[in-house]
């Protein structure tokens, strides 16, 4: 959590705590951290970080806790994600699947009224896919340890894509449970019209634009012989075009993208 909205977080916790053995909240230095005290119980444990250490560090704290308490599977959530009823129980039918690293749901964004499959459109109840986002991913704790954990260097963006890339690179599968859909807000998305085309514009903050640009460069450097660097460069160029033509605060965001690219090139990975 980081400065969570109290009612939404309460809805999140109530939706998941009946589906799991225990809920762990890692707070990354929120100014309103005191609201978390009302959620604490025998089933809800809170870990307080004094500063914002990033999503990767928080996720690793949760996974370490799971390992120390002999838990085999962990579902990770953003602070505003409401898990569908029955998702964990239904997905647990896959827990004995050989070489399974992660289980994910379908993603739906209500603002744009679009589904994001992270793979081909569903045609079976369970389907292997190439990527997993953090929210509602159910991850095998042993696989997390075997593939090298979440990368603290990335801080926020690309933490999940970097991890799922290593999951598949190490020979494990990511399976999507097509029976469940997570309503997820991806940025502050809007749809812009360009002649006869509708274009999704995520409207991320300049803070996020910096990390997306920086971490695209880091990702390319880490996996230059194993990934598809051209597609990552195209994603970076697309982001720049969307900011220039469709978003507010263009100059600030372009400045942060430029800073992110420079920092990414200079960082050792």
């Amino acid at each position: 959590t980081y400065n969570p909205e109290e009612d939404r977080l309460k809805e999140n916790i109530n939706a998941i705590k009946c589906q799991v053995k225990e809920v762990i909240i890692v707070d990354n230095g929120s100014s309103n951290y005191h609201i978390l005290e009302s959620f604490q119980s025998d089933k809800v444990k809170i870990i307080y970080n004094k500063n914002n250490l990033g999503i990767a560090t928080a996720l690793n704290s949760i996974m370490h806790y799971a390992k120390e308490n002999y838990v085999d599977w962990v579902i990770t959530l953003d602070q505003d994600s409401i898990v569908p009823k029955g998702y964990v129980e239904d997905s647990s039918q896959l827990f004995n699947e050989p070489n399974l690293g992660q289980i994910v749901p379908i993603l739906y964004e209500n603002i744009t009224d679009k589904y994001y499959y992270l793979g081909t459109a569903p045609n079976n109840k369970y389907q292997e896919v190439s990527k997993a986002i953090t929210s509602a991913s159910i991850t095998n704790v042993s696989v997390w340890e075997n593939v090298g954990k979440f990368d603290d260097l990335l801080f926020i963006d690309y933490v999940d894509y970097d991890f799922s890339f290593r999951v598949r690179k190490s020979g494990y599968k990511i399976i999507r449970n097509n029976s469940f859909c997570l309503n997820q807000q991806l940025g502050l998305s809007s749809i812009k019209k360009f002649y006869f085309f509708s274009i999704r514009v995520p409207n991320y903050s300049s803070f996020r634009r910096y990390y997306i640009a920086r971490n695209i460069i880091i990702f390319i450097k880490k996996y230059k012989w194993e990934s598809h660097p051209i597609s990552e460069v195209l994603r970076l160029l697309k982001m720049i075009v969307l900011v220039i033509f469709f978003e507010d605060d263009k100059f600030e965001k372009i400045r942060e993208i430029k800073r992110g690219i420079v920092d990414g090139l200079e960082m050792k990975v």
Side-chain angles (χ1 to χ4, degrees):
T1 52
Y2 183 70
N3 297 329
E5 197 279 311
E6 186 172 4
D7 290 340
R8 183 68 174 183
L9 181 60
K10 181 178 181 180
E11 189 178 357
N12 181 343
I13 293 170
N14 287 338
I16 192 59
K17 70 180 182 181
C18 58
Q19 300 191 48
V20 297
K21 178 182 177 181
E22 191 171 6
V23 177
I24 310 298
I25 301 173
V26 177
D27 184 72
N28 261 337
S30 295
S31 59
N32 63 343
Y33 66 90
H34 56 278
I35 69 171
L36 300 176
E37 294 173 3
S38 63
F39 299 123
Q40 191 157 338
S41 67
D42 291 342
K43 196 168 183 176
V44 181
K45 176 181 174 63
I46 303 171
I47 300 171
Y48 293 98
N49 292 330
K50 291 183 179 180
N51 302 304
N52 187 354
L53 303 180
I55 286 175
T57 299
L59 292 173
N60 284 328
S61 295
I62 293 169
M63 301 301 282
H64 278 297
Y65 180 92
K67 182 188 174 186
E68 290 171 356
N69 288 274
Y70 306 102
V71 173
D72 296 324
W73 294 86
V74 171
I75 176 170
T76 53
L77 294 170
D78 292 340
Q79 62 193 26
D80 58 353
S81 299
I82 312 302
V83 178
K85 184 178 180 181
Y87 169 62
V88 175
E89 181 180 6
D90 190 273
S91 298
S92 69
Q93 298 175 45
L94 292 169
F95 284 175
N96 292 323
E97 180 81 12
N99 299 316
L100 179 59
Q102 292 180 288
I103 305 166
V104 299
I106 288 175
L107 302 178
Y108 172 75
E109 188 175 51
N110 57 357
I111 289 180
T112 57
D113 191 28
K114 288 186 179 295
Y115 291 91
Y116 297 90
Y117 297 109
L118 301 179
T120 57
N123 52 28
N124 297 304
K125 178 175 173 60
Y126 301 121
Q127 190 167 349
E128 189 169 353
V129 293
S130 61
K131 292 179 180 178
I133 68 165
T134 297
S135 200
S137 288
I138 303 176
T139 301
N140 184 295
V141 176
S142 295
V143 171
W144 161 79
E145 189 170 34
N146 291 343
V147 305
K149 307 176 183 179
F150 296 98
D151 188 348
D152 294 306
L153 175 66
L154 297 176
F155 193 78
I156 180 167
D157 287 286
Y158 263 70
V159 170
D160 41 15
Y161 286 173
D162 172 82
F163 181 76
S164 61
F165 181 86
R166 284 183 281 119
V167 166
R168 295 184 70 244
K169 186 166 79 86
S170 301
Y172 298 105
K173 294 180 290 188
I174 301 171
I175 293 181
R176 187 179 62 218
N177 186 339
N178 291 327
S179 299
F180 292 86
C181 183
L182 178 71
N183 192 328
Q184 182 75 357
Q185 181 60 40
L186 306 171
L188 299 172
S189 300
S190 62
I191 297 294
K192 302 290 186 180
K193 295 292 185 180
F194 185 73
Y195 292 101
F196 302 106
F197 301 98
S198 295
I199 300 173
R200 176 183 173 273
V201 181
N203 295 303
Y204 286 120
S205 66
S206 57
F207 170 84
R208 292 290 300 276
R209 290 301 188 193
Y210 165 81
Y211 279 104
I212 293 171
R214 192 198 73 161
N215 292 350
I216 285 175
I217 301 300
I218 291 174
F219 186 84
I220 292 171
K221 290 167 67 176
K222 284 178 70 173
Y223 307 112
K224 52 183 173 290
W225 306 119
E226 300 161 303
S227 64
H228 301 286
I230 293 176
S231 64
E232 298 299 330
V233 171
L234 290 175
R235 184 181 182 213
L236 181 58
L237 292 175
K238 178 183 176 182
M239 177 174 69
I240 293 170
V241 170
L242 289 177
V243 168
I244 291 173
F245 286 99
F246 297 108
E247 295 194 14
D248 296 329
D249 303 320
K250 303 178 192 298
F251 294 107
E252 180 183 354
K253 289 180 181 179
I254 292 298
R255 184 177 66 246
E256 289 303 294
I257 289 171
K258 180 182 177 181
R259 189 168 70 90
I261 292 171
V262 171
D263 287 355
L265 290 170
E266 290 179 348
M267 281 185 174
K268 293 182 179 180
V269 297

